[in-house]
Amino acid sequence: MKREELKSLILENYIAATDRPWQKYPSFEVFRHPGSGKWFALIMDLPRGRLGLSGFGTLDVVNLKCDPVLVASLQGGSGIFPAYHMNKENWLTVALDGSAPDDILRALLDMSYDLTRPKRRKK
C-alpha cells in the first residue's frame, strides 16, 4: 500500500483528525482521535538509512501502535521495522512501498486505532 492509499483508507474508514504538527517536517502527517487528540498513525518519509536499509533516497512509512505481545514477532517481517522515534515496545514502523502485505497493514491500523481509543469512564 502506498502513502495516498493509506491516507484515503484512514479518512474513509475511521473517525480521525489530521494535522501536520512540525513545520520543519511538512510531509509528516499525524492522524488522531478527534476527542482525545491521541495519535493512532503517523505517516512520514524517512531516509532509508534511518531504518537500517541500504541505498539512497527516502521511504514513506507509517508508525502504528501495536499490542506489545505482538511487536517482537512482527518486527523483521516484510516491510515491518522497530518503531522510528517512538517506544519500540508499543509501536512499529511499516513501509509504504508495497513490501508489507496490505492485510497486515490494515490489521495493524485497526489495532492502533483501538489501542489509542479514548477510555470509557466508569460510572
Side-chain angles (χ1 to χ4, degrees):
M1 186 174 307
K2 302 290 185 185
R3 179 186 193 119
E4 289 306 315
E5 292 174 277
L6 179 62
K7 184 177 175 178
S8 293
L9 177 72
I10 291 170
L11 295 175
E12 291 170 9
N13 294 288
Y14 300 91
I15 299 170
T18 180
D19 67 272
R20 297 174 189 265
W22 302 285
Q23 192 171 12
K24 184 177 177 180
Y25 302 103
S27 64
F28 287 24
E29 192 165 11
V30 174
F31 296 85
R32 306 172 185 266
H33 291 276
S36 67
K38 285 189 172 189
W39 304 7
F40 64 92
L42 166 60
I43 297 177
M44 309 172 277
D45 57 327
L46 299 175
R48 296 176 63 80
R50 296 270 170 98
L51 298 171
L53 299 172
S54 60
F56 298 100
T58 60
L59 179 66
D60 286 334
V61 299
V62 60
N63 277 358
L64 299 168
K65 190 159 189 177
C66 184
D67 184 324
V69 174
L70 299 174
V71 168
S73 64
L74 290 169
Q75 287 177 2
S78 182
I80 302 175
F81 304 90
Y84 174 76
H85 216 285
M86 300 286 271
N87 180 315
K88 290 167 182 33
E89 293 177 12
N90 297 296
W91 291 81
L92 293 168
T93 295
V94 181
L96 297 175
D97 64 353
S99 60
D102 286 355
D103 58 333
I104 299 289
L105 182 52
R106 283 187 186 99
L108 289 171
L109 182 59
D110 282 342
M111 184 184 307
S112 185
Y113 190 80
D114 287 340
L115 288 171
T116 57
R117 182 183 308 264
K119 306 294 185 245
R120 292 185 183 222
R121 292 183 183 183
K122 294 182 181 180
K123 293 183 180 182

